Amino acid sequence: MNLFVETYGRQPDGVWASPGRVNLIGEHTDYNEGFVLPFALHQRTVVAAGRRAAPGWTVRSRLTGETVHIGRSDLSPGAVKGWAAYVAGVLWALVDAGFAIPDCDFAVESDVPLGAGLSSSHSFECAVLTAVEGLGDFSIPGIEAAKLVQRTENVYVGAATGLMDQTASLLCTAGHALFFDCRSLEVEQVPLDLASDGLALLVLNTNTPHTHADGEYAERRRSCERGAEILGVRALRDIGVADLPEALAKINDDVVRRRVRHVVTENARVQDAVALFRAGRVREAGPLLTASHASMRDDFEITVAQVDTAVEAALRAGAYGSRMTGGGFGGCIIALTDTEKAGSTARAVEDAFAAKGFAAPEWFTAVPSAGATRLL
Ligand code: ADP
Ligand code: MG
């Protein structure tokens, strides 16, 4: 990779890549020990890495134009702030888990949109992790690696994220979505061949980054925990849709009641979508996506005006289904359309944004792609 050569004046020892992801359905079900259905994008973070003689690590990012040095003493939570914390955090999690890791230089390039709910942070962390594994000549099994990356985010970076994003980034395969059970940690590759079904999945970035949503996420998490406590279950995963009317009748707090309803119905929608995918009936999953959006908007209250406008415009333009993807408070929407209607659907959203004075959105059609790999 050129950036590595430009920065360090030598060739890297290897190049690794790890993708961003779209979550098709199953939002905020992960920490309720439920189901999610992400797939990997072709947009990814590429990390070139080379062993170095001097102790410590150096990382350069094309995106920030900065080079940051990380020393042994930085391998404790909070020591490195800003974007390089994602690298220091992975190194810390590895050392903390007892791995002997090599001193090395990294150069990073990415085309995953940042802060858009496509998980650029996890694709960055997973790319660094696989690079260190490659140079260190050790290999950590999938879910264990995902848990290490979760520690990076939760403890080092300080973001209360679950296990979905890094599991997707590490374990997804091309042409499939990943059905992930966040309790048993079992994964199943579910075929998702959009093109041969004459379908496209439009991903449209509303350009409303979810920057200050951490407090909101924490509040949603607390409401879910409260709901589980009232209902006497370990997690909301343990409530099925059939039990929902009875369960809701036990909850006096209207906010908690609506949060519970979102999680329980969303968990059922993921399973329904998987059943349709397994049967090759992807198009019919559209209404599940739209129902998921309504639930996020009305019951979980994690959408914003731009996101709702985009979903409504996509549906008016004839999409089979549409929803916000990611943790909420901005970011991207997805819309399932016929292949030839992806562009006109995106233009319908552009028009709706212009009419409301919102900044122009960006869009692309998603290709379910491979998880983390070594490129060179
Ligand atoms: P998301 O994961 O949804 O994209 P986050 O806020 O969790 O949003 O992560 C975005 C942050 O990840 C950025 O602000 C930046 O600190 C870091 N990041 C991601 N990719 C890169 C990169 N290529 N170079 C430097 N920092 C990056
Ligand atoms: Mg992130």
Side-chain angles (χ1 to χ4, degrees):
M1 190 221 258
N2 285 343
L3 184 66
F4 190 93
V5 178
E6 282 162 28
T7 309
Y8 303 109
R10 65 183 201 280
Q11 292 293 333
D13 294 321
V15 180
W16 289 263
S18 198
R21 63 97 190 96
V22 156
N23 189 23
L24 271 167
I25 193 159
E27 223 62 77
H28 291 260
T29 43
D30 56 349
Y31 53 82
N32 289 294
E33 301 187 13
F35 300 104
V36 291
L37 189 64
F39 68 84
L41 288 167
H42 62 280
Q43 287 88 341
R44 58 196 188 174
T45 305
V46 177
V47 170
R51 281 180 213 86
R52 59 190 255 129
W57 302 268
T58 301
V59 55
R60 179 166 187 88
S61 169
R62 169 87 70 197
L63 206 79
T64 63
E66 292 173 309
T67 307
V68 175
H69 183 264
I70 300 165
R72 284 266 156 194
S73 62
D74 292 320
L75 302 194
S76 69
V80 175
K81 308 249 188 270
W83 67 272
Y86 293 95
V87 180
V90 168
L91 300 173
W92 164 77
L94 282 166
V95 169
D96 202 53
F99 290 98
I101 58 171
D103 299 309
C104 44
D105 295 315
F106 303 101
V108 185
E109 284 182 316
S110 171
D111 61 354
V112 184
L114 259 58
L118 303 180
S119 214
S120 71
S121 65
H122 285 99
S123 90
F124 186 12
E125 291 158 325
C126 292
V128 170
L129 180 83
T130 49
V132 176
E133 279 180 89
L135 284 191
D137 217 13
F138 58 89
S139 161
I140 307 171
I143 292 291
E144 292 314 308
K147 285 181 181 166
L148 270 176
V149 174
Q150 185 182 25
R151 288 201 76 211
T152 301
E153 285 250 344
N154 292 172
V155 185
Y156 201 104
V157 177
T161 53
L163 257 185
M164 166 172 64
D165 299 339
Q166 58 280 51
T167 303
S169 196
L170 292 166
L171 298 185
C172 279
T173 56
H176 294 86
L178 188 80
F179 180 39
F180 181 39
D181 179 334
C182 298
R183 172 171 283 170
S184 72
L185 307 185
E186 277 170 68
V187 294
E188 177 190 335
Q189 305 285 348
V190 183
L192 179 58
D193 185 355
L194 294 164
S196 69
D197 279 346
L199 294 170
L201 195 86
L202 174 68
V203 179
L204 187 137
N205 187 353
T206 65
N207 283 321
T208 46
H210 56 67
T211 17
H212 298 295
D214 286 3
E216 297 280 2
Y217 294 150
E219 189 277 326
R220 295 306 180 281
R221 215 175 164 129
R222 274 197 304 277
S223 297
C224 292
E225 282 160 9
R226 181 82 193 106
E229 193 182 302
I230 294 168
L231 298 171
V233 290
R234 173 173 143 182
L236 293 180
R237 143 76 173 263
D238 294 310
I239 309 291
V241 262
D243 314 321
L244 193 57
E246 197 188 324
L248 295 179
K250 291 184 189 151
I251 305 172
N252 292 325
D253 184 321
D254 178 55
V255 171
V256 175
R257 199 183 310 121
R258 285 184 294 124
R259 305 297 189 245
V260 168
R261 186 165 57 197
H262 166 73
V263 172
V264 172
T265 58
E266 184 77 352
N267 211 32
R269 282 186 289 269
V270 178
Q271 295 169 80
D272 291 348
V274 167
L276 288 171
F277 280 31
R278 283 190 192 124
R281 291 158 58 193
V282 174
R283 189 177 276 102
E284 290 169 59
L288 294 168
L289 303 182
T290 306
S292 167
H293 188 78
S295 179
M296 293 191 287
R297 183 191 59 213
D298 303 334
D299 277 349
F300 222 60
E301 296 178 291
I302 52 172
T303 67
V304 297
Q306 284 86 340
V307 159
D308 292 334
T309 299
V311 165
E312 283 156 26
L315 291 171
R316 266 201 313 275
Y320 293 111
S322 181
R323 65 182 287 270
M324 180 187 74
T325 186
F329 305 96
C332 290
I333 67 133
I334 56 174
L336 185 67
T337 70
D338 286 323
T339 310
E340 63 279 6
K341 286 186 83 175
S344 58
T345 305
R347 281 187 290 281
V349 177
E350 285 170 350
D351 291 346
F353 270 40
K356 289 199 172 177
F358 297 153
E362 278 135 29
W363 60 274
F364 59 89
T365 51
V367 182
S369 300
T373 56
R374 182 169 189 158
L375 300 180
L376 286 171

